[in-house]
Amino acid sequence: MSKDTTKYTLTINIKRDDDKALVYYKQDGERFQSNCTIKLNVETTYKFLLNFRPPLRIKSGSLKNNGLEVKEEGFTSESSSYCLLWTSNDVVVSKNKGRENFTLSLTVPDLGTLEIPLQLKFYDAKDKSHSVWGNELHHIEFWMPSFED
């Protein structure tokens, strides 16, 4: 692998694929591994929309060790964008006060693997009340100083 000293920004948007609705998150304080929890429904397909500045190529992606379909949406000299689809069919409804820690892994050719930790809580597929309490998740932003060997 080569060494890349470029500083990158990754912006992630997560939306329901069925109605393009935003997902929600809640502040948990310090009770869990992360202080924010993203709320999702089981048996639902989600779009993970990724934007890199400056551009990076994504070879593959996975969430909870399940391969994701990676679709390049755009690539310019300034940025690159991708859509990854994930269906929560193999996930169970979270227990009361339960949280799931998933890793979104992205393989970047010649640079390595980018691992993004996500703290999630899952609700029944038909739940439209608890799963939308909290704040709309507009995006998650990561600053990556560089990829190194």
Side-chain angles (χ1 to χ4, degrees), residues 9-64:
T9 301
L10 167 60
T11 304
I12 303 174
N13 295 74
I14 305 171
K15 298 182 187 255
R16 291 175 60 102
D17 189 41
D18 55 359
D19 57 8
K20 313 299 185 261
L22 292 173
V23 299
Y24 288 77
Y25 74 96
K26 65 183 268 180
Q27 295 285 348
D28 282 321
E30 296 180 16
R31 298 182 304 154
F32 301 100
Q33 189 172 353
S34 174
N35 64 359
C36 287
T37 299
I38 300 169
K39 299 173 145 200
L40 302 176
N41 296 93
V42 298
E43 300 174 15
T44 303
T45 301
Y46 290 93
K47 280 187 174 184
F48 287 73
L49 305 167
L50 312 178
N51 183 273
F52 290 95
R53 290 186 177 271
L56 282 175
R57 293 226 182 262
I58 300 299
K59 178 180 177 184
S60 63
S62 66
L63 184 65
K64 194 185 172 202

Side-chain angles (χ1 to χ4, degrees), residues 10-12 38 48 50 52 58 62-64 101-106 113-119 140-142 144:
L10 167 60
T11 304
I12 303 174
I38 300 169
F48 287 73
L50 312 178
F52 290 95
I58 300 299
S62 66
L63 184 65
K64 194 185 172 202
N101 294 302
F102 284 20
T103 300
L104 175 62
S105 297
L106 305 171
T113 301
L114 176 60
E115 293 189 343
I116 300 154
L118 300 172
Q119 183 169 282
I140 303 167
E141 195 164 72
F142 292 93
M144 302 171 289

Side-chain angles (χ1 to χ4, degrees), residues 70-120:
V70 177
K71 181 180 173 188
E72 185 178 294
E73 299 277 303
F75 200 96
T76 69
S77 61
E78 295 178 6
S79 68
S80 59
S81 56
Y82 295 87
C83 176
L84 289 73
L85 292 176
W86 178 70
T87 303
S88 58
N89 287 344
D90 63 340
V91 179
V92 297
V93 173
S94 300
K95 292 182 179 180
N96 187 26
K97 299 184 182 175
R99 302 292 183 272
E100 309 293 331
N101 294 302
F102 284 20
T103 300
L104 175 62
S105 297
L106 305 171
T107 303
V108 180
D110 301 321
L111 293 178
T113 301
L114 176 60
E115 293 189 343
I116 300 154
L118 300 172
Q119 183 169 282
L120 308 172

